[in-house]
Amino acid sequence: MKLLVTGGAGFIGSVVTAQLLEAGHEVVVLDDLSTGHEDAVPEGATLVRGTMRERALDVLEGAGFDAVLHFAARSLVGESVQKPGLYWDRNLGESLALLDAMRQSGVARIVFSSTAATYGEPESTPILETDPTRPTNPYGASKLAIDTTLTEYARLFGFGAVSLRYFNVAGAYGRFGERHAVETHLIPNVLAVAAGTRDAVHVFGEDYPTSDGTCVRDYIHVVDLGVAHLLALEACAPGRHQIFNLGSGSGSSVREVVEVCREVTGHPIPVQAGPRRAGDPAVLVASSDKIRSELGWKPERDLRLMVSDAWTFLRSQA
Ligand SMILES: NC(=O)c1ccc[n+]([C@@H]2O[C@H](COP(=O)([O-])OP(=O)(O)OC[C@H]3O[C@@H](n4cnc5c(N)ncnc54)[C@H](O)[C@@H]3O)[C@@H](O)[C@H]2O)c1
Ligand SMILES: O=c1ccn([C@@H]2O[C@H](COP(=O)(O)OP(=O)(O)O[C@H]3O[C@H](CO)[C@H](O)[C@H](O)[C@H]3O)[C@@H](O)[C@H]2O)c(=O)[nH]1
C-alpha cells in the first residue's frame, strides 16, 4: 500500500513507519518537526515537512494513497491544561484539515492514535471500549472529539476508520525510541537517573489505593503497538469506525517499574516520594479483549523487555 504517516518523525510514528517499510509498504511521512526529529524518519520513507493544514492536501491529491496513519498531535497532559486552545487547534483543527484533504483526494481509510485519556477517571477496571468517556483534561477531550469526528466521517462519507486507544507506550525499536525535549513519561525519566542525567526519580504520590500506594498503569511495548497498526490497516472497512483499546491487560505500579529499571540497569536508582500529580487516576488498565478477539492481536513483549529496549536506545544516544 501507499501510506501517509503523519507524525512519522516522532517516537511511535517512527517505529511504526519502520515496521510498515519492512512489511513492504511505501511510506510518505508528514511532520512539522515540532516534537519530532528529521533523523528519526526511517530510511526509505520520504519526509514532507509541514503541518497538516499546510501540506496534507498537496501531498494527498492525485498521488494514489491507499490510507493514512495519523499520529501527529500535541500530547502533554499538563501543557493541555495550561493551553487548552492550543490542543483544540493542533489536535482537532489539524485533524479536520487532514480529514478534509483525504475527502478531497478520495482517500478514505485511516488509523488514528487515540488514547486512554479519552476515558478519564475510570469507574471500574479493566477499562472496556463501551465504558463512559469523560476526559479530565483538554488533551483527552481533543482526542475524543477526533474519535467522534471519525464516527461521523464513516457514517456520512463512507470512511473506513480505526481508532486505537493506547495506554502507556514504552520501549524502543533499534535506533527508534523516545527522545522528547520535554519528557514526562515514567520509564525514560527513571532510566535518565541510571544514565546520570537526572538525580532521582520523583514518585508522584504514594497514598493511592493500590498495593504499594503508587499509581498503576498498563504498559505496552511500542513494537506490539506497531503490529496492531498493521492489523488495523487491514481491518478498515468502508462506512465503519472501529475503536480498540491497546494495552497489555495487566498493570504495574510506579514502584514496580522502578524495580525493573534497577534490575535491567544494575543502578540503585534513588527515589524521592513527592505529592500526587494533578489529574492522575490511581489505576488505568485496559481490557484488550476486543482487539484480541476481533483482530487476533496479542502483546508479546513484557515490561522487562520494554525497559531493556528503552535502556539500549538511551545508551546509544549518549
Ligand atoms: N506515548 C504514549 O504513551 C501515547 C499514549 C497515548 C496516545 N499517544 C498518541 O500517539 C501519538 C504519537 O505519540 P508520540 O509519543 O510518538 O509523540 P511525539 O511527540 O514523539 O510524536 C508526534 C509527532 O507529530 C509531529 N506533529 C505534531 N503536530 C503536528 C502537526 N500539526 N503537523 C505535522 N506534524 C505534527 C511532531 O513533530 C512529532 O514528530 C500522539 O497522537 C499521541 O497523542 C501516545
Ligand atoms: O517522573 C515521573 C513520571 C511519571 N510518574 C507516574 O508514573 C505513572 C505513569 O506516568 P506517565 O507520565 O508515564 O504516563 P501517564 O499514565 O500519565 O500518561 C499516559 O496515559 C495518558 C492517558 O491517561 C496519556 O495517553 C498519555 O499520553 C500517556 O503517556 C503516573 O502514575 C505518574 O504519576 C512518576 O511518578 N514520576
Side-chain angles (χ1 to χ4, degrees):
M1 282 192 245
K2 182 169 179 179
L3 304 170
L4 179 67
V5 174
T6 74
F11 165 43
I12 301 170
S14 63
V15 170
V16 180
T17 296
Q19 291 172 296
L20 291 168
L21 291 167
E22 281 162 23
H25 298 293
E26 180 184 345
V27 181
V28 175
V29 166
L30 175 58
D31 199 300
D32 67 356
L33 304 182
S34 50
T35 57
H37 309 271
E38 188 164 358
D39 64 4
V41 178
E43 299 77 21
T46 306
L47 171 66
V48 175
R49 186 173 178 169
T51 65
M52 291 167 282
R53 279 192 187 100
E54 289 164 352
R55 301 303 304 274
L57 185 58
D58 62 72
V59 171
L60 287 171
E61 206 160 35
F65 280 90
D66 297 295
V68 175
L69 292 101
H70 179 29
F71 298 93
R74 307 288 294 206
S75 56
L76 297 174
V77 170
E79 183 186 54
S80 82
V81 175
Q82 302 297 320
K83 301 176 184 171
L86 180 75
Y87 275 68
W88 287 102
D89 179 62
R90 296 295 156 81
N91 290 350
L92 181 60
E94 286 280 330
S95 297
L96 288 173
L98 173 69
L99 293 175
D100 286 330
M102 289 174 64
R103 269 190 74 200
Q104 284 187 53
S105 317
V107 181
R109 198 192 291 206
I110 181 166
V111 178
F112 170 59
S113 306
S114 189
T115 166
T118 55
Y119 295 109
E121 183 82 48
E123 278 170 11
S124 57
T125 57
I127 299 171
L128 296 163
E129 289 83 351
T130 47
D131 283 353
T133 42
R134 288 189 290 246
T136 51
N137 54 64
Y139 166 63
S142 67
K143 288 278 183 171
L144 181 61
I146 301 166
D147 279 343
T148 307
T149 307
L150 288 173
T151 304
E152 290 184 343
Y153 275 51
R155 185 169 55 85
L156 299 172
F157 308 128
F159 272 47
V162 174
S163 291
L164 297 175
R165 290 190 172 155
Y166 314 161
F167 280 63
N168 290 62
V169 189
Y173 183 43
R175 73 173 195 86
F176 307 108
E178 218 165 345
R179 57 186 165 118
H180 296 130
V182 180
E183 188 53 80
T184 58
H185 289 151
L186 178 65
I187 292 175
N189 280 337
V190 176
L191 293 177
V193 178
T197 53
R198 287 172 77 104
D199 292 338
V201 179
H202 296 268
V203 175
F204 301 146
E206 291 193 311
D207 58 349
Y208 285 96
T210 59
S211 59
D212 63 14
T214 65
C215 286
V216 169
R217 292 290 180 271
D218 184 344
Y219 294 89
I220 171 174
H221 197 296
V222 66
V223 173
D224 283 329
L225 186 105
V227 171
H229 283 73
L230 289 159
L231 295 170
L233 201 51
E234 301 295 336
C236 288
R240 286 185 72 197
H241 176 214
Q242 305 170 76
I243 298 176
F244 298 103
N245 288 342
L246 212 45
S248 70
S250 68
S252 306
S253 73
V254 173
R255 285 271 181 192
E256 286 165 349
V257 170
V258 172
E259 198 47 47
V260 172
C261 292
R262 287 182 180 133
E263 286 164 20
V264 166
T265 62
H267 188 284
I269 308 183
V271 158
Q272 276 174 16
R276 292 183 176 196
R277 186 170 70 178
D280 273 343
V283 179
L284 281 178
V285 176
S287 162
S288 51
D289 290 353
K290 187 179 175 199
I291 192 165
R292 286 174 193 245
S293 67
E294 294 187 19
L295 302 192
W297 175 86
K298 65 175 192 325
E300 290 183 340
R301 293 158 184 85
D302 64 7
L303 182 63
R304 174 175 274 273
L305 190 59
M306 293 177 220
V307 169
S308 69
D309 285 349
W311 179 233
T312 304
F313 172 77
L314 186 68
R315 280 183 305 163
S316 75
Q317 302 295 303

